[in-house]
Amino acid sequence: MKNSIIQIEQLSKSFGEVRALDNINLSVREGEIFGLIGPDGAGKTTLIRILTTLLLPDTGKATVTGRDVVRDYKEIRKLVGYMPGVFSLYEDLTIAENLKFFATIFQTTIKENYHLIKDIYQQIEPFKDRRAGQLSGGMKQKLALSCALIHKPEVLFLDEPTTGIDAVSRVELWDMLKKLKRMGLTIFVSTPYMNEASMCDRVAFIQKGEILEVDSPEGIVASYEEPIYAVEGGRFYQLIHALRALEMVKAAHLFGETIHVTTYRRIAPEELARAIKEREGMDISVREIEANIEDCFISKLHQIIH
Amino acid sequence: MREQNDYIVYVKDLTKVFGDFVAVDKINFRVEKGEIFGFLGANGAGKTTAIKMLTGLLAPTSGEAVVAGFDVRREPEKVKYNIGYMSQKFSLYDDLKVSENIRLYAGIYGLSRKEIKRKSKALLEELNMVALRDKLVGELPLGWKQKLAFAVAMIHEPAVVFLDEPTSGVDPITRRQFWEMIYKASVAGTTIFITTHYLDEAEYCTRVSIMVDGVIEALDTPKNLRLKYGADNMQEVFVLLARGEHTLQGKIKKEK
């Protein structure tokens, strides 16, 4: 097994009465894409800001590349790249000026590390004399990523890089991250999109400051034990209420063109179809399925609610 | 033949030009009462410009749009009164209490004091938030806030409500609860006009339009779109259209 490059032990952070991080333990391996997945307000940004030495923890300990985030913050800053969730470059500097600025403060040159950013930067280089404030969202992001990489960091932190961008740009960004991984970088990325978990080597579910589960996407899916069925047919709204009214049904959730139903015991799919037919006169099709990542997260959320 | 007033949203050759850039290029569509209409598109495709025209915030360069019975060019103020609007970026005031936010919006939409009182009570009961009426909105979890914002956007019982990425960043359970509120409103006859980046949500819409470079490239039920483009889900349909790969048949399939 590869060495751990980020080690987090019993880390907590509160803002006033809000416990943003509650006793977090995590270990990130060298060279992996590690996904921190959870909704807004779960603590994702707080954790990333502690790991990038921009925020002090209340209690607990975290090391990045073996260095302590509190004591060795100056060294860590040279070894990590950070792309925050909001665009934080200088809007009144051009693309080229922003990049040169970041290279200079990290005491390097664009030329020295150009190979790292080449694929990304080439896409915006034709516009290098345009001010950053005048770029489209996609271009801003490519510039921000270039600036976060220009000092050749060992670990790249990205805070919700795919939030608010369209599905096509999301696919492109994940392609870029995979290329960076092949160059040897460790990538720590947060996202609210469950379906992006499959792009990561390992993921952690985070909710209300607590880590609910850490595993590979395959491992998370494999450890899901409840019987789960996909139901189709009829009108969603009536159908979902009809399903929930059945005694055998534990939960029913909208899932794309189907409704995912979990039951208290394993049933034959026809049993569910028959019950709905008898109760509501609706014809539905039911098939047993494998849970996906979002089913797993929903199930974990239910466990902590109840 | 049906008249334009039979539709809640009627759009004909709607166009917006900024300088020499055609942001919205002669788009056409109609939305019926009670429909959940998904308005999708890549960043920069012209979605926001189109929504601004439909909500009376931006005058079209040419073409026409009638929303909730009013012409967006001639009667933009009436359009604003007769629609609901909510977005993730702007909805409620964090530093006002729950009850104050409700009162503020109800007042803006011209409800009488008596109506405001009655509606506030009903709304809080419906949302199970009576105990939270004196809490600052900024202290509510995001999911609650979004549900409250949706209810507030409909406090004046508009014929159509525009939801601009309402579920961004909310947890998967709350996101689904939010959609059940949308269904409920739709079943009760309210027309829903919604944008989202979660493409599983496109499947929940009655019909979906996908905008690419200022034009509506596709408009149909999610099922028909899937069949037409030979895709397993709306994510595939979207990527295919937004990348302009639908002309190269089955390219995305081959790449898999």
Coordinates of all heavy atoms in Angstrom, one line a residue, chain A residues 201-269:
Chain A
D201 N -10.5 7.7 -6.7 CA -10.0 6.4 -6.2 C -10.7 6.0 -4.9 O -11.1 4.9 -4.7 CB -8.5 6.5 -6.0 CG -7.8 6.7 -7.4 OD1 -8.0 6.0 -8.3 OD2 -7.0 7.7 -7.4
R202 N -10.8 7.0 -4.0 CA -11.5 6.8 -2.8 C -12.3 8.0 -2.5 O -11.9 9.1 -2.9 CB -10.5 6.5 -1.7 CG -9.9 5.0 -1.8 CD -9.2 4.6 -0.5 NE -8.3 5.7 -0.1 CZ -8.2 6.0 1.2 NH1 -8.9 5.4 2.2 NH2 -7.4 7.0 1.6
V203 N -13.4 7.8 -1.7 CA -14.2 9.0 -1.3 C -14.6 8.9 0.1 O -14.6 7.8 0.7 CB -15.5 9.0 -2.1 CG1 -15.3 9.3 -3.6 CG2 -16.4 7.8 -1.9
A204 N -14.8 10.1 0.7 CA -15.4 10.2 2.1 C -16.7 10.9 2.0 O -16.8 11.9 1.3 CB -14.4 10.9 3.0
F205 N -17.7 10.4 2.6 CA -19.0 11.1 2.7 C -18.9 12.0 3.9 O -18.6 11.5 5.0 CB -20.2 10.1 2.9 CG -20.6 9.3 1.7 CD1 -21.2 8.1 1.8 CD2 -20.3 9.8 0.4 CE1 -21.6 7.4 0.7 CE2 -20.7 9.1 -0.7 CZ -21.4 7.9 -0.5
I206 N -19.3 13.2 3.8 CA -19.2 14.1 4.9 C -20.6 14.8 5.1 O -21.2 15.2 4.1 CB -18.1 15.2 4.8 CG1 -18.0 16.0 6.1 CG2 -18.2 16.0 3.6 CD1 -16.8 16.9 6.2
Q207 N -21.1 14.8 6.3 CA -22.4 15.5 6.5 C -22.4 16.1 7.9 O -22.0 15.4 8.9 CB -23.5 14.4 6.4 CG -24.9 14.8 7.0 CD -25.7 15.6 5.9 OE1 -25.2 16.0 4.9 NE2 -26.9 15.9 6.2
K208 N -22.7 17.3 8.1 CA -22.7 18.1 9.3 C -21.4 17.8 10.1 O -21.4 17.5 11.3 CB -23.9 17.6 10.2 CG -25.2 18.1 9.5 CD -26.4 17.9 10.4 CE -27.7 18.4 9.8 NZ -28.8 17.6 10.0
G209 N -20.3 18.0 9.4 CA -19.0 17.9 10.1 C -18.5 16.5 10.5 O -17.5 16.4 11.1
E210 N -19.3 15.5 10.1 CA -18.9 14.2 10.4 C -18.6 13.3 9.2 O -19.3 13.5 8.2 CB -19.9 13.4 11.2 CG -20.0 13.9 12.7 CD -21.1 13.1 13.4 OE1 -21.0 11.8 13.5 OE2 -22.0 13.7 13.9
I211 N -17.6 12.5 9.2 CA -17.3 11.6 8.1 C -18.2 10.4 8.3 O -18.1 9.7 9.3 CB -15.8 11.2 8.1 CG1 -14.9 12.4 7.9 CG2 -15.6 10.2 6.9 CD1 -14.9 13.1 6.6
L212 N -19.0 10.1 7.3 CA -20.0 8.9 7.5 C -19.3 7.6 7.0 O -19.6 6.6 7.5 CB -21.2 9.2 6.7 CG -22.0 10.5 7.0 CD1 -23.3 10.5 6.2 CD2 -22.4 10.5 8.5
E213 N -18.5 7.7 6.0 CA -17.9 6.5 5.4 C -16.7 6.9 4.5 O -16.7 7.9 3.9 CB -19.0 5.8 4.5 CG -18.5 4.4 4.1 CD -19.7 3.6 3.6 OE1 -20.7 4.1 3.3 OE2 -19.5 2.4 3.4
V214 N -15.7 6.0 4.5 CA -14.5 6.2 3.6 C -14.2 4.9 2.9 O -14.1 3.9 3.6 CB -13.3 6.6 4.4 CG1 -12.2 7.0 3.4 CG2 -13.5 7.8 5.3
D215 N -14.2 4.9 1.6 CA -13.9 3.7 0.9 C -13.7 4.0 -0.6 O -13.9 5.2 -1.0 CB -15.1 2.7 1.1 CG -14.6 1.2 0.9 OD1 -13.6 1.0 0.3 OD2 -15.3 0.3 1.5
S216 N -13.4 3.0 -1.4 CA -13.4 3.2 -2.8 C -14.9 3.2 -3.2 O -15.7 2.6 -2.5 CB -12.7 2.0 -3.5 OG -13.4 0.8 -3.2
P217 N -15.2 3.8 -4.4 CA -16.6 3.8 -4.8 C -17.1 2.4 -4.9 O -18.2 2.1 -4.5 CB -16.5 4.5 -6.2 CG -15.3 5.3 -6.2 CD -14.3 4.6 -5.3
E218 N -16.3 1.5 -5.4 CA -16.7 0.1 -5.5 C -17.0 -0.5 -4.2 O -17.9 -1.3 -4.0 CB -15.6 -0.8 -6.2 CG -15.3 -0.3 -7.6 CD -14.3 0.9 -7.7 OE1 -13.6 1.1 -6.7 OE2 -14.4 1.7 -8.6
G219 N -16.1 -0.2 -3.2 CA -16.3 -0.7 -1.9 C -17.5 -0.2 -1.2 O -18.2 -1.0 -0.5
I220 N -17.8 1.0 -1.4 CA -19.1 1.6 -0.8 C -20.3 0.9 -1.4 O -21.2 0.5 -0.6 CB -19.1 3.1 -1.1 CG1 -18.1 3.8 -0.2 CG2 -20.5 3.7 -0.9 CD1 -18.0 5.3 -0.4
V221 N -20.3 0.7 -2.7 CA -21.5 0.0 -3.3 C -21.6 -1.4 -2.8 O -22.7 -1.9 -2.5 CB -21.3 0.1 -4.8 CG1 -22.4 -0.8 -5.5 CG2 -21.6 1.6 -5.3
A222 N -20.4 -2.1 -2.7 CA -20.4 -3.5 -2.3 C -20.9 -3.7 -0.9 O -21.4 -4.7 -0.5 CB -19.0 -4.1 -2.5
S223 N -20.7 -2.7 0.0 CA -21.0 -2.8 1.4 C -22.5 -2.5 1.6 O -23.0 -2.6 2.8 CB -20.1 -2.0 2.3 OG -20.4 -0.6 2.0
Y224 N -23.2 -2.1 0.6 CA -24.6 -1.7 0.8 C -25.4 -3.0 0.8 O -25.3 -3.9 0.0 CB -25.1 -0.9 -0.4 CG -26.5 -0.4 -0.4 CD1 -26.7 0.9 0.2 CD2 -27.6 -1.1 -0.9 CE1 -28.0 1.4 0.3 CE2 -28.8 -0.6 -0.8 CZ -29.1 0.6 -0.2 OH -30.3 1.1 -0.2
E225 N -26.3 -3.2 1.9 CA -26.9 -4.5 2.1 C -28.4 -4.5 1.9 O -29.0 -5.6 1.8 CB -26.5 -5.0 3.5 CG -25.1 -5.5 3.5 CD -24.7 -5.8 4.9 OE1 -25.3 -5.3 5.9 OE2 -23.7 -6.6 5.1
E226 N -29.1 -3.4 1.9 CA -30.5 -3.4 1.8 C -31.0 -3.9 0.4 O -30.4 -3.5 -0.6 CB -31.1 -2.0 2.1 CG -31.0 -1.6 3.5 CD -31.5 -0.2 3.8 OE1 -31.3 0.7 2.9 OE2 -32.1 0.0 4.8
P227 N -32.1 -4.6 0.4 CA -32.7 -4.9 -0.9 C -33.2 -3.6 -1.6 O -33.8 -2.8 -0.9 CB -33.8 -5.8 -0.6 CG -34.1 -5.7 0.8 CD -32.9 -5.2 1.5
I228 N -32.9 -3.4 -2.9 CA -33.3 -2.2 -3.5 C -33.8 -2.4 -4.9 O -33.3 -3.3 -5.6 CB -32.1 -1.1 -3.5 CG1 -32.6 0.2 -4.1 CG2 -30.9 -1.6 -4.2 CD1 -31.7 1.4 -3.8
Y229 N -34.9 -1.7 -5.3 CA -35.6 -2.0 -6.5 C -35.8 -0.7 -7.3 O -36.0 0.4 -6.7 CB -37.0 -2.6 -6.2 CG -36.9 -3.8 -5.3 CD1 -36.9 -3.7 -3.9 CD2 -36.8 -5.1 -5.9 CE1 -36.7 -4.8 -3.1 CE2 -36.6 -6.2 -5.0 CZ -36.6 -6.1 -3.7 OH -36.5 -7.1 -2.8
A230 N -35.8 -0.8 -8.6 CA -36.2 0.3 -9.5 C -37.6 0.1 -10.0 O -37.9 -0.9 -10.5 CB -35.2 0.5 -10.6
V231 N -38.4 1.2 -9.8 CA -39.8 1.1 -10.2 C -40.0 2.1 -11.3 O -39.6 3.3 -11.2 CB -40.7 1.4 -8.9 CG1 -42.2 1.5 -9.3 CG2 -40.5 0.4 -7.9
E232 N -40.8 1.7 -12.3 CA -41.1 2.6 -13.4 C -42.6 2.5 -13.7 O -43.2 1.4 -13.5 CB -40.3 2.2 -14.6 CG -39.0 2.9 -14.7 CD -38.3 2.4 -16.0 OE1 -37.6 1.4 -15.9 OE2 -38.4 3.1 -17.0
G233 N -43.2 3.5 -14.2 CA -44.5 3.5 -14.7 C -45.4 4.4 -13.9 O -45.1 4.7 -12.7
G234 N -46.5 4.9 -14.5 CA -47.4 5.8 -13.7 C -46.8 7.2 -13.5 O -45.7 7.5 -14.0
R235 N -47.6 8.0 -12.9 CA -47.1 9.4 -12.6 C -46.3 9.4 -11.3 O -46.7 8.8 -10.3 CB -48.3 10.3 -12.5 CG -49.0 10.5 -13.8 CD -49.9 11.8 -13.7 NE -50.1 12.3 -15.0 CZ -49.3 13.3 -15.5 NH1 -48.3 13.8 -14.8 NH2 -49.6 13.8 -16.7
F236 N -45.1 10.0 -11.4 CA -44.2 10.0 -10.2 C -44.8 10.4 -8.9 O -44.7 9.7 -7.9 CB -43.1 11.0 -10.5 CG -41.9 10.5 -11.3 CD1 -41.3 11.3 -12.2 CD2 -41.4 9.2 -11.1 CE1 -40.2 10.9 -12.9 CE2 -40.3 8.8 -11.8 CZ -39.7 9.6 -12.7
Y237 N -45.6 11.5 -8.9 CA -46.0 12.0 -7.7 C -47.0 11.0 -7.0 O -46.9 10.7 -5.8 CB -46.7 13.4 -7.9 CG -47.1 14.1 -6.7 CD1 -46.1 14.6 -5.8 CD2 -48.4 14.3 -6.3 CE1 -46.4 15.3 -4.6 CE2 -48.8 14.9 -5.1 CZ -47.8 15.4 -4.3 OH -48.1 16.1 -3.2
Q238 N -48.0 10.5 -7.8 CA -48.9 9.6 -7.2 C -48.2 8.3 -6.8 O -48.5 7.7 -5.7 CB -50.1 9.3 -8.2 CG -51.0 10.4 -8.4 CD -50.6 11.4 -9.5 OE1 -49.4 11.5 -9.8 NE2 -51.5 12.1 -10.0
L239 N -47.3 7.9 -7.7 CA -46.7 6.6 -7.5 C -45.8 6.6 -6.2 O -45.8 5.6 -5.4 CB -45.8 6.2 -8.7 CG -45.1 4.9 -8.7 CD1 -46.1 3.7 -8.4 CD2 -44.4 4.6 -10.0
I240 N -45.1 7.7 -6.0 CA -44.1 7.7 -4.8 C -44.9 7.6 -3.5 O -44.6 7.0 -2.6 CB -43.2 8.9 -4.9 CG1 -41.9 8.5 -4.1 CG2 -43.8 10.2 -4.5 CD1 -40.7 9.4 -4.4
H241 N -46.1 8.3 -3.5 CA -46.9 8.3 -2.3 C -47.6 6.9 -2.1 O -47.7 6.4 -1.0 CB -48.0 9.4 -2.3 CG -47.4 10.7 -2.1 ND1 -47.1 11.2 -0.9 CD2 -46.9 11.7 -3.0 CE1 -46.5 12.4 -0.9 NE2 -46.4 12.7 -2.2
A242 N -48.0 6.3 -3.2 CA -48.5 4.9 -3.1 C -47.5 3.9 -2.6 O -47.8 3.1 -1.7 CB -49.0 4.5 -4.5
L243 N -46.3 4.1 -3.1 CA -45.2 3.2 -2.6 C -44.9 3.3 -1.1 O -44.8 2.3 -0.4 CB -43.9 3.4 -3.4 CG -44.0 2.9 -4.9 CD1 -42.8 3.6 -5.7 CD2 -43.9 1.4 -5.0
R244 N -44.9 4.6 -0.7 CA -44.6 4.8 0.7 C -45.7 4.3 1.6 O -45.4 4.0 2.8 CB -44.3 6.3 1.0 CG -43.0 6.7 0.4 CD -42.7 8.2 0.8 NE -41.5 8.6 0.1 CZ -41.4 9.8 -0.5 NH1 -42.3 10.7 -0.3 NH2 -40.3 10.1 -1.1
A245 N -46.9 4.2 1.1 CA -48.0 3.8 1.9 C -48.0 2.3 2.2 O -48.7 1.7 3.0 CB -49.3 4.2 1.3
L246 N -47.1 1.5 1.4 CA -47.1 0.1 1.6 C -46.2 -0.3 2.8 O -45.2 0.3 3.0 CB -46.5 -0.6 0.3 CG -47.2 -0.4 -1.0 CD1 -46.4 -1.0 -2.1 CD2 -48.6 -1.0 -0.9
E247 N -46.7 -1.3 3.5 CA -46.0 -1.7 4.7 C -44.6 -2.2 4.5 O -43.7 -2.0 5.3 CB -46.8 -2.8 5.4 CG -47.5 -2.3 6.7 CD -48.4 -3.3 7.3 OE1 -47.9 -4.5 7.5 OE2 -49.6 -3.0 7.5
M248 N -44.4 -2.9 3.3 CA -43.1 -3.5 3.1 C -42.1 -2.5 2.7 O -40.9 -2.8 2.7 CB -43.3 -4.6 1.9 CG -43.7 -3.9 0.6 SD -43.8 -5.2 -0.7 CE -45.6 -5.5 -0.8
V249 N -42.5 -1.3 2.3 CA -41.6 -0.3 1.8 C -40.9 0.5 3.0 O -41.6 1.1 3.8 CB -42.3 0.7 0.8 CG1 -41.4 1.9 0.5 CG2 -42.7 -0.1 -0.4
K250 N -39.6 0.6 2.9 CA -38.9 1.3 4.0 C -38.7 2.8 3.5 O -38.9 3.7 4.2 CB -37.5 0.7 4.2 CG -36.7 1.3 5.3 CD -35.5 0.4 5.5 CE -34.6 1.1 6.6 NZ -33.3 0.5 6.6
A251 N -38.3 3.0 2.2 CA -38.1 4.3 1.7 C -38.3 4.3 0.2 O -38.1 3.2 -0.4 CB -36.7 4.8 2.1
A252 N -38.7 5.4 -0.4 CA -38.9 5.5 -1.8 C -38.3 6.9 -2.2 O -38.7 7.9 -1.6 CB -40.3 5.4 -2.2
H253 N -37.4 6.9 -3.2 CA -36.8 8.2 -3.6 C -36.8 8.3 -5.1 O -36.6 7.3 -5.8 CB -35.3 8.2 -3.2 CG -35.2 8.3 -1.7 ND1 -35.4 9.5 -1.0 CD2 -34.8 7.4 -0.8 CE1 -35.2 9.2 0.3 NE2 -34.8 8.0 0.5
L254 N -37.0 9.5 -5.6 CA -36.9 9.7 -7.1 C -35.5 9.5 -7.5 O -34.5 9.8 -6.8 CB -37.2 11.2 -7.3 CG -38.7 11.7 -7.1 CD1 -38.7 13.2 -7.1 CD2 -39.6 11.1 -8.1
F255 N -35.3 8.8 -8.7 CA -34.0 8.5 -9.2 C -34.0 8.6 -10.7 O -34.3 7.6 -11.3 CB -33.5 7.2 -8.7 CG -32.3 7.3 -7.8 CD1 -32.5 7.2 -6.4 CD2 -31.1 7.5 -8.3 CE1 -31.5 7.4 -5.5 CE2 -30.0 7.7 -7.4 CZ -30.2 7.6 -6.1
G256 N -33.8 9.7 -11.3 CA -33.8 9.8 -12.7 C -35.2 9.4 -13.2 O -36.2 9.8 -12.7
E257 N -35.2 8.5 -14.2 CA -36.5 8.1 -14.8 C -37.2 7.0 -13.9 O -38.3 6.6 -14.3 CB -36.4 7.7 -16.2 CG -35.7 6.3 -16.5 CD -34.2 6.4 -16.5 OE1 -33.6 7.3 -15.9 OE2 -33.6 5.5 -17.1
T258 N -36.6 6.6 -12.8 CA -37.2 5.6 -12.0 C -37.4 6.1 -10.5 O -36.9 7.2 -10.2 CB -36.4 4.3 -11.9 OG1 -35.1 4.7 -11.3 CG2 -36.1 3.8 -13.3
I259 N -38.1 5.3 -9.7 CA -38.1 5.5 -8.3 C -37.3 4.3 -7.7 O -37.6 3.2 -8.0 CB -39.5 5.6 -7.8 CG1 -40.2 6.8 -8.4 CG2 -39.6 5.6 -6.3 CD1 -41.7 6.9 -8.0
H260 N -36.4 4.6 -6.8 CA -35.7 3.6 -6.1 C -36.4 3.3 -4.7 O -36.7 4.2 -4.0 CB -34.2 4.0 -5.8 CG -33.4 3.9 -7.0 ND1 -32.0 4.0 -7.0 CD2 -33.7 3.7 -8.3 CE1 -31.5 3.9 -8.2 NE2 -32.5 3.7 -9.1
V261 N -36.7 2.0 -4.5 CA -37.5 1.6 -3.4 C -36.6 0.7 -2.5 O -36.1 -0.3 -3.1 CB -38.8 0.9 -3.8 CG1 -39.5 0.4 -2.6 CG2 -39.7 1.9 -4.5
T262 N -36.5 0.9 -1.2 CA -35.9 -0.1 -0.4 C -37.0 -0.7 0.5 O -37.9 0.0 0.8 CB -34.8 0.5 0.6 OG1 -35.3 1.7 1.2 CG2 -33.6 1.0 -0.2
T263 N -36.8 -2.0 0.8 CA -37.8 -2.7 1.5 C -37.2 -3.3 2.8 O -36.0 -3.4 2.9 CB -38.4 -3.8 0.7 OG1 -37.3 -4.6 0.2 CG2 -39.2 -3.3 -0.5
Y264 N -38.1 -3.6 3.8 CA -37.6 -4.2 5.0 C -37.1 -5.6 4.9 O -36.3 -6.0 5.6 CB -38.7 -4.1 6.1 CG -39.0 -2.7 6.5 CD1 -40.1 -2.0 6.1 CD2 -38.1 -2.1 7.4 CE1 -40.4 -0.7 6.5 CE2 -38.4 -0.8 7.9 CZ -39.5 -0.1 7.4 OH -39.7 1.1 7.8
R265 N -37.6 -6.3 3.9 CA -37.1 -7.7 3.7 C -37.0 -7.9 2.1 O -37.7 -7.1 1.4 CB -38.1 -8.7 4.3 CG -39.5 -8.6 3.7 CD -40.5 -9.5 4.3 NE -41.8 -9.2 3.8 CZ -42.3 -9.5 2.7 NH1 -41.7 -10.3 1.8 NH2 -43.6 -9.1 2.3
R266 N -36.3 -8.8 1.7 CA -36.2 -9.1 0.3 C -37.5 -9.6 -0.2 O -38.1 -10.5 0.4 CB -35.0 -10.1 0.0 CG -34.9 -10.5 -1.5 CD -33.5 -10.9 -1.9 NE -32.7 -9.8 -2.2 CZ -31.7 -9.4 -1.6 NH1 -31.3 -10.0 -0.5 NH2 -31.0 -8.3 -2.0
I267 N -38.0 -9.1 -1.3 CA -39.3 -9.5 -1.9 C -39.0 -9.9 -3.3 O -38.0 -9.5 -3.9 CB -40.3 -8.4 -1.8 CG1 -39.7 -7.1 -2.5 CG2 -40.7 -8.1 -0.4 CD1 -40.8 -6.1 -2.9
A268 N -40.0 -10.6 -3.9 CA -40.0 -10.8 -5.3 C -40.5 -9.5 -6.0 O -41.5 -9.0 -5.5 CB -40.9 -12.0 -5.7
P269 N -39.9 -9.0 -7.1 CA -40.4 -7.8 -7.7 C -41.9 -7.8 -8.0 O -42.5 -6.8 -7.8 CB -39.5 -7.7 -9.0 CG -38.3 -8.5 -8.7 CD -38.7 -9.6 -7.7

